Amino acid sequence: MNFHILTLFPEMVMQGLSESIIGNATENGLLSIEAINIRDFTKNKHRKVDDYPYGGGAGMLMQAQPVYDAWKSVADKIGRKPRTVYLTPQGQTFTQQMAKELATEQDLILLCGHYEGIDERVLEEIVTDYMSIGDYVLTGGELPAMVMVDAISRMVPGVLTNEESGCTESFEGNLLEYPQYSRPEVWQGKAVPSVLLSGNQKNIREWRKEAAIERTKERRPDLYEKYEALDRCREILKKQKLLHIDMTELIARGQAELVYAKGATICLFDKVSRIYFHTTDVKEIGCLALEAIKEHALTHAYQGIADLLVLHQDFMKPYAEETLGLHEIMVCKQAVYTRKEKLPITGLYRVDGKDAEDGMVMIRRIGKEYLDTVVAHYHTIDDPAYIIERIEKGAMYGAFLGDELVGFIGTHGEGSIGMLEVFQEYRRRRIGKALETYMINLALEAGQTPFGQVAEGNEKSFRLQESLGLCFSKADVYWMEKK
Ligand code: SAM
């Protein structure tokens, strides 16, 4: 990921971001960070970049011309209008969720103001997002830019060596992180909670969950309220466990925002994929939930439109069409791996990195160098931008024979396993089974319930899922899209 920071103090920014994890990631080529000195673009012979505000008032304002020219030098290099964040106390408060979302960008421009801020006209021209790091006023945007680069970088795949540590921390699933302890076992008479020394991973997980809940209740009652509301929904949804696996997993993975809940009518917004999920047992209340989606979309969805919705009852289809202008694009069954044990991998794929002399594939995450191959072979979603996004997210895995890619699989933004493809000449060699097994085991390792959605009529996929022991929902789910 490439950060371009427009600032009057490039040294300050570069120094602050050259150490430790961010510094290492830059050295390893996972990140690039450049600071562009806005002053270098001024046309003023005294190198001035600020002037008095029209109408009077305290302080000076950064002028439009140098800011615009500095921005344009970067935009021209990137070759399109890039995502441009202006750091300002007037912006939306930056959150962990926003960090995650911004980490999917290839290029990000961060514009730092100074003095009293920046001439409004240039902001209107170039800024795509206004973001603040909190309700207080700083002297410049440099510290906020550094805060954002740090938080976003941690979410770029590969930057944290232990990937897990990025997703078990505070704010995941609306909970703060549990307390942590290191050596010695007893310090100043205080012992480490004994369960953490027990080696029993199940008990440790339970203790940590409980501790996280208690801590959040005490320190952040606002977050706890959100957690509790979603937890109540999860209990209701679990009554039809297979049908609602997409919604319960959204909650479990900390991606869900509650849009509507009344009885068994629940509507969630996936903060990652920006897809809406809807379930109900009463048509009239289901319609109220659709109205709530319409309202929610105005401020949260892309361009104020709910353009993707998953319905869990077919009787809601005409109302989704009427209220939101959506039409059905796919009917699927949920396929859920309900067991906790990992699947055996013997004879399917190798994990040791050696040459695959015995005809077994190696499976590993794939990068953008495989984009063209993936797009050429994958036809269910003919949107290269989506495939790019999944690859950039680190969500696509390839099966290799030697150096040759022979098939791939991935996870969709909302968490389901899919996009499985084995190239024609390599079929009937259990490579599909290998890829699917790999993904199921990966999800289990992350403490998730692996699931996929099989489109009605895709008999080959049904057979594969069945052979791996996945269970299918009796009822269908309906993917609805904007016309
Ligand atoms: N006059 C501006 C106002 O009241 O909105 C404040 C200007 S502030 C003194 C100067 C610069 O610091 C801003 O242009 C912005 O880039 C940055 N800044 C200050 N506080 C910030 C915050 N909480 N979050 C992000 N940026 C901030």
Side-chain angles (χ1 to χ4, degrees):
M1 173 165 188
N2 310 312
F3 294 97
H4 314 270
I5 305 168
L6 306 180
T7 167
L8 291 174
F9 303 96
E11 290 86 14
M12 171 182 177
V13 172
M14 292 312 284
Q15 261 172 25
L17 294 170
S18 60
E19 303 280 339
S20 182
I21 296 176
I22 307 301
N24 292 341
T26 313
E27 265 172 34
N28 297 340
L30 289 163
L31 305 173
S32 87
I33 304 173
E34 63 163 350
I36 297 101
N37 192 343
I38 296 173
R39 202 177 290 282
D40 290 345
F41 292 83
T42 179
K43 294 192 171 133
N44 181 288
K45 61 177 186 242
H46 305 295
R47 287 184 47 88
K48 246 174 66 125
V49 288
D50 58 321
D51 211 329
Y52 293 100
Y54 281 116
M60 305 290 271
L61 214 56
M62 285 169 70
Q63 292 166 286
Q65 176 271 319
V67 172
Y68 183 76
D69 288 353
W71 175 84
K72 192 155 183 319
S73 75
V74 180
D76 285 348
K77 213 166 49 186
I78 296 170
R80 63 190 149 80
K81 191 174 175 186
R83 187 109 182 238
T84 303
V85 176
Y86 175 42
L87 289 319
T88 164
Q90 302 178 19
Q92 257 190 305
T93 310
F94 181 61
T95 61
Q96 184 65 20
Q97 198 56 48
M98 283 148 92
K100 267 191 187 175
E101 194 251 319
L102 287 169
T104 63
E105 297 287 338
Q106 179 70 28
D107 287 276
L108 186 65
I109 298 185
L110 298 169
L111 170 60
C112 307
H114 214 75
Y115 314 116
E116 275 314 300
I118 300 179
D119 188 308
E120 193 67 23
R121 291 166 298 181
V122 66
L123 300 178
E124 285 168 8
E125 204 60 35
I126 65 175
V127 172
T128 55
D129 304 75
Y130 294 82
M131 294 187 185
S132 161
I133 61 159
D135 285 347
Y136 39 79
V137 181
L138 299 161
T139 55
E142 285 70 21
L143 287 171
M146 286 154 73
V147 166
M148 283 185 57
V149 170
D150 190 296
I152 296 167
S153 299
R154 299 176 74 258
M155 295 293 115
V156 171
V159 169
L160 295 183
T161 37
N162 175 5
E163 285 205 44
E164 228 204 333
S165 65
C167 59
T168 59
E169 282 171 328
S170 293
F171 307 115
E172 288 301 323
N174 294 316
L175 288 178
L176 301 178
E177 197 185 51
Y178 43 81
Q180 301 256 49
Y181 306 86
S182 183
R183 266 183 243 254
E185 270 180 47
V186 181
W187 179 78
Q188 295 204 350
K190 289 174 168 232
V192 170
S194 56
V195 61
L196 299 178
L197 311 173
S198 70
N200 182 329
Q201 287 306 315
K202 184 170 169 279
N203 291 351
I204 293 175
R205 260 202 307 277
E206 280 169 12
W207 181 87
R208 285 181 164 165
K209 179 80 187 276
E210 217 28 64
I213 291 173
E214 278 312 308
R215 173 157 284 196
T216 313
K217 210 190 274 188
E218 200 179 292
R219 297 187 184 178
R220 289 289 304 272
D222 56 321
L223 265 191
Y224 179 71
E225 218 170 279
K226 287 187 191 166
Y227 166 78
E228 219 194 1
L230 281 169
D231 204 46
R232 276 196 302 270
C233 290
R234 186 147 69 133
E235 288 307 312
I236 295 167
L237 292 167
K238 267 164 56 183
K239 290 181 186 156
Q240 283 173 282
K241 199 174 160 208
L242 297 178
L243 180 65
H244 289 144
I245 188 69
D246 47 355
M247 297 177 80
T248 51
E249 275 301 295
L250 273 193
I251 298 174
R253 297 178 196 197
Q255 296 181 208
E257 183 179 320
L258 186 56
V259 177
Y260 187 91
K262 187 170 185 197
T265 302
I266 294 169
C267 177
L268 303 177
F269 175 63
D270 175 9
K271 292 182 280 187
V272 174
S273 67
R274 312 190 85 71
I275 300 171
Y276 288 91
F277 293 78
H278 175 288
T279 188
T280 188
D281 55 349
V282 183
K283 184 193 80 193
E284 287 72 18
I285 305 180
C287 286
L288 292 178
L290 291 176
E291 290 293 343
I293 292 178
K294 196 171 176 182
E295 189 65 25
H296 183 273
L298 287 176
T299 46
H300 291 75
Y302 180 64
Q303 291 183 339
I305 299 165
D307 54 2
L308 270 176
L309 166 70
V310 182
L311 290 177
H312 293 69
Q313 289 78 26
D314 67 343
F315 62 78
M316 287 310 298
K317 285 193 287 192
Y319 304 102
E321 197 158 346
E322 195 181 302
T323 312
L324 300 167
L326 302 172
H327 72 117
E328 182 186 291
I329 49 162
M330 208 169 29
V331 182
C332 303
K333 287 229 186 293
Q334 312 272 30
V336 188
Y337 185 81
T338 52
R339 287 181 286 136
K340 293 272 174 270
E341 317 81 63
K342 285 204 213 168
L343 285 165
I345 65 166
T346 334
L348 285 178
Y349 60 86
R350 352 176 20 123
V351 281
D352 54 9
K354 287 186 201 144
D355 278 347
E357 298 145 15
D358 49 9
M360 265 199 290
V361 288
M362 260 291 297
I363 299 179
R364 63 176 163 84
R365 181 178 276 155
I366 52 176
K368 268 191 298 192
E369 62 276 23
Y370 291 101
L371 176 69
D372 291 342
T373 324
V374 172
V375 170
H377 284 87
Y378 188 62
H379 302 297
T380 314
I381 298 173
D382 52 359
D383 177 6
Y386 181 68
I387 306 285
I388 296 177
E389 190 245 324
R390 296 323 298 151
I391 291 181
E392 278 179 355
K393 266 284 192 187
M396 297 291 296
Y397 291 80
F400 290 84
L401 281 172
D403 288 334
E404 197 184 352
L405 182 72
V406 297
F408 54 81
I409 194 165
T411 45
H412 289 288
E414 91 297 350
S416 62
I417 298 171
M419 297 175 279
L420 172 62
E421 200 67 48
V422 176
F423 305 162
Q424 188 75 41
E425 57 274 37
Y426 297 99
R427 294 195 182 148
R428 303 188 159 278
R429 289 162 69 161
R430 308 212 306 162
I431 295 172
K433 187 168 184 169
L435 282 162
E436 184 91 27
T437 301
Y438 184 88
M439 294 307 280
I440 288 174
N441 288 349
L442 203 65
L444 288 171
E445 273 169 29
Q448 302 166 343
T449 303
F451 77 102
Q453 296 185 329
V454 186
E456 285 295 357
N458 188 349
E459 294 311 322
K460 228 166 59 182
S461 178
F462 272 110
R463 278 199 301 277
L464 173 63
Q465 317 290 335
E466 211 167 11
S467 74
L468 291 171
L470 278 83
C471 304
F472 299 100
S473 60
K474 279 205 190 73
D476 291 318
V477 294
Y478 307 88
W479 281 77
M480 311 289 289
E481 195 184 52
K482 195 82 192 160
K483 279 192 178 123

